[in-house]
Amino acid sequence: MNYRPEIDGLRAVAVLPVILFHAGFDFMAGGFVGVDIFFVISGYLITSIIMTELAEGRFNLIAFYERRARRILPALFLVLAASAPLAWWLLSPRDLKDFSQGLVAIVFSVSNVLFWLKSDYFSRAAEYNALLHTWSLGVEEQFYIFFPLILAFFWSVSRRSLVYCLAAAALGSLLLAQYWLLRDPMGAFFLLPFRAWELLGGALAALTAHKWREAFSSRWGREVLTMVGMLLLLGAVTLFRRTTPFPGGWALVPVCGTLLIILFADRHTLVGSVLCAKPVVWVGLVSYSAYLWHVPIFSLTRYAGTGEPHVTVMLFLCFATILLAWATWRFVEVPFRSKSFVQSSGIFKFAGAGFVLFFVFGFAGHLSGGFERLKLTDEHRKVLATAASSPMRKKCHAEGADFGPVGDACKYHGGLAQTAVFGDSHAVELAYALADALRAKDLAIAHFSFSGCVPALGRSLTGELVHCSVWTKQAVDYIASQQEITNVVVSYRIHAALFGDHEGIYPAIPDAVGESERALRWKSYVAALQVFLDHGKNVVLVLQAPELPKRIDEMIMRSREPLAVVSGISREWWDLRTRYVREHLSDIPAAVKIVDPTALFCDALRCVAADDGQAFYFDDDHPSVAGARVIATEVVRFDLPGF
């Protein structure tokens, strides 16, 4: 196969948007599609090489895997070896355990499966996963376990049917991806059956390229097609969003754009000449190493700080990534591809030794809970033990389409349930703590909460919130209709509902919800309170507890005196975050009693994450059971009937 510099240029078009996307630059909000470009390129190149070798009668499966090992493993092992000590130093045991599991998954080429089970690629939390990007390596390696065998089989049995069979498989994979996107979006994103069509698209391009080029042989035809291809790629990387349903049908945009360029670009087309420019080709040559380095660099930097790094820091890290990538390509990738540097037997020994090393470290990290005993003192462990969620969270907290009848809501500790706790996930620990506070009086608590649910009464929401709005109406109607329920305690993460999460952007003040949508959510919030009052209920509104700049386990781990005060956010930041609600408290009906956790957890300068050996949170925003008990104590002070 002849070298095509425009393919290396296309690799640059793939890797730069991915890097800028993970760096958090909004103008590359769709940069994640760079991986799709890589998939198509990989399918095209690997198929071209295998078919050439089959035609010349020199294809050898062992030699194929040797080339893969030389291409993939040296740079990967270097990045993992550099990342592991930093992960040990920076990460909390919880996150180091996740990192260790990622190492084991990489050894077996199943990191995509692991992250499907544990991650949301588009969540802010994923930005702290130093190995998240290895999911694409898992997809490729799984694909290439069987694909060379399939090509060799059809070559010896029925070459004419190869294209039809691969086309049918690609179409089936695409349709399956679109179907599965509605059932399990992260499964469709991470798993091979829903990504195979992109690699197969590249393979089909390799098998049919001559026919396409004969059909569109004119220069102007190729100019137009390659320009359309580049426009498709530029449109995808700039216009797609984290919320774009992906992959499935939308992935056709970058895949088709890549195929048009692969099939029709060369030095004589405008797009091809740009891609063949030396600086672009140079970036393409180091693209694999750049892809490997950028996520650990970004994620560990984010982890080391207390908020999202400044844009200038992220720009510097982008340049550092490219420089590291060049050094890795020059001194690791290129030498290892030469048999004069490492012979065939040596590369397999190298692979085996590396896999054993990372497996041992990863498995030990998994079994030891992230080397917890080595990283934490007894004081740290004592405080971390109090950073606990409700033991009833899994059983009693509703989510998704399969929530049960609201009348079957959990009731704690038996007896008459005169009090209902209602809200989103911030109501869970409060319900449990309030039930404990009332247990001595033989009074029960009815628990009504729905995960990730914004105030939605009186609205029919769509998308991810469709089930939230249905549940909200059912729950409010049920609570209002139950005469034995005399008290309703309402608790929402209201500031996040009105302005968006702070994760991934702190210390910036979130502002991710439009003004009109914010007004509608606030109106629903107030309306639910009024419905309860209209049905004769005593209503206590618990405002949102202060958020933390990082997860509580990270903050405790970094504290030199964890049994003393562990500070959270500044009071100044929290006052800015809560200004809208404070300015609109007059909208709350006068009969509603209000508990503001700010008064419980903050002084004039700061808010507290833990104190006197008690962690008040179990993540970066949810009060722990210990924190909820502090709030519950204030709720019962109102001495309402049933309290």
Side-chain angles (χ1 to χ4, degrees):
M1 177 184 175
N2 295 326
Y3 173 64
R4 295 182 58 188
E6 66 272 14
I7 299 295
D8 276 327
L10 191 55
R11 285 192 172 112
V13 175
V15 77
L16 291 177
V18 173
I19 292 173
L20 293 171
F21 168 75
H22 285 134
F25 292 103
D26 290 339
F27 68 91
M28 282 291 171
F32 56 88
V33 306
V35 175
D36 303 79
I37 301 173
F38 277 128
F39 282 158
V40 179
I41 294 172
S42 176
Y44 172 78
L45 292 177
I46 296 297
T47 303
S48 298
I49 292 170
I50 292 176
M51 296 307 292
T52 298
E53 292 181 345
L54 286 170
E56 296 174 355
R58 57 185 180 88
F59 175 72
N60 182 287
L61 194 62
I62 299 300
F64 170 80
Y65 289 125
E66 179 188 338
R67 285 199 304 270
R68 291 292 296 172
R70 289 180 182 275
R71 165 73 171 143
I72 299 298
L73 297 183
L76 175 63
F77 284 178
L78 174 63
V79 172
L80 296 181
S83 300
L86 291 173
W88 172 283
W89 178 46
L90 290 171
L91 303 189
S92 69
R94 168 181 164 181
D95 292 319
L96 187 54
K97 180 179 179 180
D98 289 341
F99 180 89
S100 300
Q101 292 172 345
L103 287 179
V104 174
I106 290 170
V107 168
F108 294 103
S109 297
V110 292
S111 56
N112 60 320
V113 178
L114 175 68
F115 298 139
W116 163 55
L117 295 172
K118 302 191 66 170
S119 300
D120 179 344
Y121 182 85
F122 295 106
S123 70
R124 293 297 182 183
E127 295 177 352
Y128 294 85
N129 186 339
L131 302 178
L132 182 67
H133 60 319
T134 63
W135 75 271
S136 63
L137 301 184
V139 169
E140 285 203 26
E141 295 317 305
Q142 292 159 25
F143 182 80
Y144 290 124
I145 289 174
F146 301 108
F147 185 66
L149 298 174
I150 293 171
L151 289 182
F153 170 78
F154 276 100
W155 183 265
S156 62
V157 175
S158 178
R159 302 176 194 177
R160 298 182 65 181
S161 59
L162 175 58
V163 171
Y164 298 108
C165 289
L166 293 185
L171 179 60
S173 174
L174 171 58
L175 294 175
L176 187 62
Q178 182 61 39
Y179 170 74
W180 210 254
L181 192 61
L182 303 176
R183 299 173 59 87
D184 180 8
M186 284 300 103
F189 188 91
F190 281 118
L191 300 182
L192 174 62
F194 317 109
R195 290 290 193 163
W197 69 274
E198 301 178 33
L199 290 146
L200 290 171
L204 288 166
L207 294 169
T208 62
H210 62 287
K211 294 184 178 180
W212 288 105
R213 289 165 185 160
E214 289 175 1
F216 297 92
S217 59
S218 72
R219 177 185 173 185
W220 289 110
R222 292 189 177 193
E223 288 284 6
V224 170
L225 290 172
T226 53
M227 287 183 182
V228 169
M230 185 56 72
L231 287 173
L232 289 174
L233 295 184
L234 293 176
V237 299
T238 57
L239 299 178
F240 283 14
R241 296 289 182 267
R242 293 173 182 266
T243 55
T244 302
F246 200 88
W250 282 111
L252 282 167
V253 177
V255 168
C256 290
T258 305
L259 289 173
L260 288 173
I261 293 173
I262 287 175
L263 289 170
F264 302 112
D266 57 30
R267 294 179 180 274
H268 306 296
T269 60
L270 176 61
V271 169
S273 64
V274 172
L275 294 177
C276 289
K278 287 185 178 181
V280 182
V281 171
W282 182 86
V283 174
L285 289 172
V286 304
S287 62
Y288 174 61
S289 289
Y291 181 77
L292 290 178
W293 278 114
H294 83 284
V295 171
I297 289 173
F298 294 171
S299 65
L300 293 174
T301 300
R302 287 183 170 111
Y303 204 99
T306 57
E308 180 68 6
H310 192 271
V311 62
T312 54
V313 174
M314 297 311 296
L315 279 173
F316 171 79
L317 294 179
C318 289
F319 286 113
T321 294
I322 299 300
L323 289 177
L324 269 174
W326 172 82
T328 304
W329 172 78
R330 175 64 180 83
F331 299 109
V332 179
E333 284 194 67
V334 172
F336 268 90
R337 292 180 194 175
S338 171
K339 289 188 178 182
S340 63
F341 184 77
V342 180
Q343 295 183 349
S344 297
S345 59
I347 197 67
F348 287 114
K349 291 176 182 178
F350 170 78
F355 283 141
V356 169
L357 175 66
F358 294 120
F359 174 80
V360 170
F361 181 90
F363 195 60
H366 167 71
L367 290 180
S368 63
F371 303 101
E372 187 249 12
R373 289 192 173 276
L374 295 175
K375 290 180 66 68
L376 299 177
T377 65
D378 290 340
E379 288 79 9
H380 287 102
R381 282 191 285 274
K382 181 179 178 181
V383 182
L384 281 171
T386 68
S389 60
S390 166
M392 304 301 289
R393 173 172 276 268
K394 184 174 182 179
K395 177 182 178 181
C396 300
H397 186 43
E399 63 178 336
D402 300 326
F403 66 86
V406 293
D408 294 340
C410 286
K411 294 182 180 179
Y412 296 155
H413 306 320
L416 180 64
Q418 291 182 261
T419 300
V421 178
F422 166 83
D424 63 5
S425 58
H426 276 225
V428 179
E429 283 64 39
L430 179 59
Y432 186 79
L434 192 57
D436 272 358
L438 299 178
R439 190 173 189 176
K441 299 180 181 180
D442 197 29
L443 296 171
I445 290 288
H447 170 175
F448 303 85
S449 66
F450 195 95
S451 182
C453 194
V454 302
L457 187 64
R459 305 182 65 194
S460 296
L461 301 179
T462 58
E464 295 180 351
L465 295 174
V466 60
H467 307 300
C468 159
S469 59
V470 173
W471 176 87
T472 297
K473 183 179 187 319
Q474 293 180 9
V476 169
D477 288 347
Y478 178 84
I479 295 170
S481 67
Q482 300 302 300
Q483 294 184 358
E484 67 272 18
I485 296 177
T486 58
N487 307 312
V488 183
V489 179
V490 177
S491 178
Y492 276 95
R493 189 184 177 192
I494 188 60
H495 305 301
L498 297 177
F499 289 91
D501 291 344
H502 74 302
E503 294 96 334
I505 67 168
Y506 177 88
I509 302 296
D511 190 14
V513 179
E515 187 175 344
S516 59
E517 176 63 21
R518 182 182 306 126
L520 291 171
R521 292 182 182 185
W522 180 256
K523 182 179 179 181
S524 293
Y525 186 63
V526 175
L529 303 174
Q530 189 63 57
V531 168
F532 294 140
L533 290 174
D534 291 345
H535 285 79
K537 315 297 183 183
N538 301 305
V539 180
V540 178
L541 175 62
V542 176
L543 299 179
Q544 181 187 327
E547 293 154 333
L548 301 182
K550 300 181 79 68
R551 283 200 331 261
I552 185 66
D553 59 314
E554 299 175 52
M555 302 190 68
I556 292 171
M557 185 188 76
R558 296 183 183 194
S559 175
R560 295 183 178 180
E561 297 182 12
L563 294 178
V565 173
V566 178
S567 296
I569 54 172
S570 70
R571 180 62 184 266
E572 179 184 13
W573 187 90
W574 186 239
D575 284 346
L576 290 173
R577 172 73 152 149
T578 60
R579 183 171 59 186
Y580 180 94
V581 170
R582 288 185 287 106
E583 290 176 350
H584 288 77
L585 281 178
S586 59
D587 298 337
I588 304 297
V592 173
K593 296 174 172 56
I594 298 176
V595 172
D596 186 358
T598 301
L600 305 176
F601 298 130
C602 304
D603 58 26
L605 297 177
R606 64 179 178 178
C607 299
V608 174
D611 190 13
D612 196 24
Q614 295 287 309
F616 296 138
Y617 299 82
F618 70 83
D619 56 15
D620 66 356
D621 64 270
H622 291 88
S624 63
V625 171
R629 286 191 175 121
V630 176
I631 299 171
T633 299
E634 293 301 307
V635 173
V636 298
R637 289 185 192 277
F638 288 117
D639 198 26
L640 299 174
F643 280 6

